[in-house]
Amino acid sequence: MIKDRLLEVRERIAEAKKGTERDVTLIAVTKTHSPEMINEAIDLGITDIGENKVQEILDKYDKVKPVRWHLIGHLQTNKVKYIIDKVCLIHSVDSVKLMDEIERQAAKHAVTMEILLQVNITGEETKFGVAPEELDILLRHAGTLKNVKVVGLMTILAKGDSEVSKRLHFNNIFNRFVDISSNKYDNVVMKYLSMGMSGDFETAVECGSNMVRVGSAIFGDREYKQ
Ligand SMILES: *Cc1c(COP(=O)(O)O)cnc(C)c1O
């Protein structure tokens, strides 16, 4: 089951990026899924998995084969300490306060944590992320940090958005990604643009994404425990 879906997702990504040299990292989003299912995906070649809750990472961490863990959901400052030595990339950084706490914990563990800044391009519809106007504050703050490196941007679009408006938003983020690359902020490199989920990853890749976070298109519908 997973095998066929995964193959199809890979083909659709390849088709969407056709004609470009770009590598697109596929992150399999494994929230609600068992360690057994995750290990099956790893056996099928998945190298990167994404979880949106700290607790789920902690519950599964020891039961899952070696893999790169990504934290893709909202992160509370008081939980940074639990995942600092477990994840390779935090996608959801949206405040100076959170940057400072990641810096503090990363220094404690003598690691450099790579982070993405989550941009909220749609305003009201999604709760988390910084408004595009506030990005500059966080980008300049990166220059004061030693154990945190900003390596790109992430965004989540509202599910109900039309194809046209999604394309508009994705293009808008891509333009900022390019602008920031040419602005030369200290301690900032625009390496990853994390956008695209099951419902919109092809559009995202066509608009310049090089990191997609795909859950249900690989694993099927999620069942949330009551
Ligand atoms: C759940 C989730 C995804 C994947 O969603 P699908 O629609 O199942 O592909 C991607 N990004 C984030 C932040 C998520 O929480």
Side-chain angles (χ1 to χ4, degrees), residues 29 31 52 72 154 156 197-199 213-216 222:
V29 176
K31 62 191 182 204
N52 68 334
I72 59 175
M154 180 271 227
I156 305 173
M197 313 182 8
S198 292
R213 310 176 308 268
V214 181
S216 46
R222 285 181 289 274

Side-chain angles (χ1 to χ4, degrees), residues 48-160:
D48 293 79
I49 64 175
E51 289 282 348
N52 68 334
K53 292 205 175 95
V54 167
Q55 191 57 49
E56 266 192 81
I57 296 179
L58 300 182
D59 290 345
K60 296 173 190 175
Y61 193 77
D62 288 332
K63 303 182 185 113
V64 168
K65 295 180 179 182
V67 70
R68 282 195 293 272
W69 293 78
H70 296 249
L71 184 75
I72 59 175
H74 179 65
L75 177 59
Q76 289 172 293
T77 46
N78 63 350
K79 293 194 173 160
V80 173
K81 58 179 177 283
Y82 300 121
I83 49 112
I84 195 74
D85 57 345
K86 297 189 171 58
V87 304
C88 69
L89 185 61
I90 301 172
H91 291 230
S92 46
V93 178
D94 60 1
S95 72
V96 164
K97 188 176 155 221
L98 184 54
M99 289 170 92
D100 285 342
E101 176 61 10
I102 298 171
E103 166 78 8
R104 213 168 68 86
Q105 296 297 337
K108 229 180 191 175
H109 288 260
V111 296
T112 301
M113 181 54 63
E114 296 196 326
I115 65 167
L116 305 181
L117 301 180
Q118 181 175 352
V119 188
N120 182 353
I121 202 96
T122 52
E124 293 292 293
E125 298 159 48
T126 44
K127 283 176 290 188
F128 301 115
V130 285
E133 313 82 79
E134 291 165 25
L135 257 182
D136 181 65
I137 300 171
L138 273 61
L139 289 164
R140 279 190 283 125
H141 190 66
T144 69
L145 306 175
K146 291 189 176 64
N147 292 71
V148 171
K149 190 169 184 68
V150 175
V151 294
L153 304 178
M154 180 271 227
T155 199
I156 305 173
L157 298 188
K159 273 206 177 73

Side-chain angles (χ1 to χ4, degrees), residues 17-36:
K17 68 166 192 177
K18 226 175 186 171
T20 72
E21 294 287 295
R22 191 163 13 112
D23 278 331
V24 176
T25 302
L26 170 61
I27 299 176
V29 176
T30 51
K31 62 191 182 204
T32 76
H33 298 301
S34 67
E36 293 72 30

